[in-house]
Amino acid sequence: MAELKFGSEYFDAKDTLTCGQTFRFREVENGFKVFSADKACRIKTDGEYTYLYCADQDVEYFKHYFDIKRDYAGIFSSALSESEDILKKSAIVGKGIRILNQDKTETLFSFIISQNNNIPRIKGIIERLCTALGDKKEFEGETYCTFPTPEKMASVDVDFYKSIGLGYRAEYVYRLSKSICDGYNIQNLDSLSTVELNKQLLFIYGVGKKVADCVSLFGFHRSDAFPVDTWIEKVYVDDFNGTLKDRAKIAEWFVDRFKDNSGYFQQYLFHYKRIMEKSSKTE
């Protein structure tokens, strides 16, 4: 078992995991257990440091997964240099957030499942999917299930997906798994520009603009993508005095404004707005 230690100023385990970019994690007594594709790790932030525990052979995978090599101090400084007070406040509160480098196939399926869904329900569906179709492995003495291969996912029918709670999304997941088994290669999209990547994702049955933006940012790490949901729409209206009504156009507006920092700033703003709104409701 490997133990890695990183400064926590720009790497907070909880903020990174709970800001809506990933669903396969759970809080445990000593941090969080995180599952990605067929691998697992444990991570915790304790004071000035964030600690990562994983199998020796998975060290490079999780260093990449948590985007260790990127200069988040520079991204944070860029946010502080912008004119909008809301962005500065958001960056200060969310400076420990990192954008993960997730498995592309898992990310695509996960965000198709996420449509019109809340996070606890999304996590439950994905957990049931992994339990039913994934392989069993062990980490720190505990059995977990891997994210299933497209072949396993194509081996069951639409009714199975409905039985684990996907509802109308069942057809989307089934058709995508069949398409991948028939030769559709998600990895081939990596060479495309973000605009072209987005267009190609929109050709997938069941993928709309928000899902395409989420997959671009959280699966392909395209930082010039800006997913717009209810929270971001509120930021746009409340804090940027925006007048656009179409979320796709709002996303384009933010990307035009923040360029290659768009995705990082989106996470700062999303995290901050959600915290502020929830705290105001408890006062």
Side-chain angles (χ1 to χ4, degrees), residues 262-276:
S262 295
Y264 305 110
F265 292 178
Q266 190 269 0
Q267 286 288 272
Y268 289 157
L269 292 165
F270 171 84
H271 179 69
Y272 182 78
K273 192 67 170 179
R274 191 169 59 164
I275 287 176
M276 292 299 103

Side-chain angles (χ1 to χ4, degrees), residues 116-133:
N116 298 312
N117 235 335
N118 60 59
I119 288 178
R121 192 162 183 272
I122 298 163
K123 292 179 71 171
I125 291 170
I126 294 174
E127 179 68 21
R128 291 191 289 275
L129 173 67
C130 294
T131 299
L133 301 178

Side-chain angles (χ1 to χ4, degrees), residues 120-183:
R121 192 162 183 272
I122 298 163
K123 292 179 71 171
I125 291 170
I126 294 174
E127 179 68 21
R128 291 191 289 275
L129 173 67
C130 294
T131 299
L133 301 178
D135 295 327
K136 287 183 171 56
K137 295 185 73 173
E138 281 197 6
F139 176 70
E140 293 190 328
E142 179 184 359
T143 299
Y144 71 94
C145 295
T146 66
F147 196 85
T149 64
E151 290 76 17
K152 279 281 190 72
M153 294 180 70
S155 70
V156 296
D157 58 18
V158 173
D159 287 340
F160 163 78
Y161 291 111
K162 289 182 178 178
S163 75
I164 62 171
L166 267 75
Y168 71 88
R169 310 165 200 84
E171 185 71 28
Y172 303 161
V173 170
Y174 174 74
R175 284 177 60 165
L176 176 58
S177 63
K178 293 288 286 185
S179 178
I180 293 173
C181 290
D182 290 340

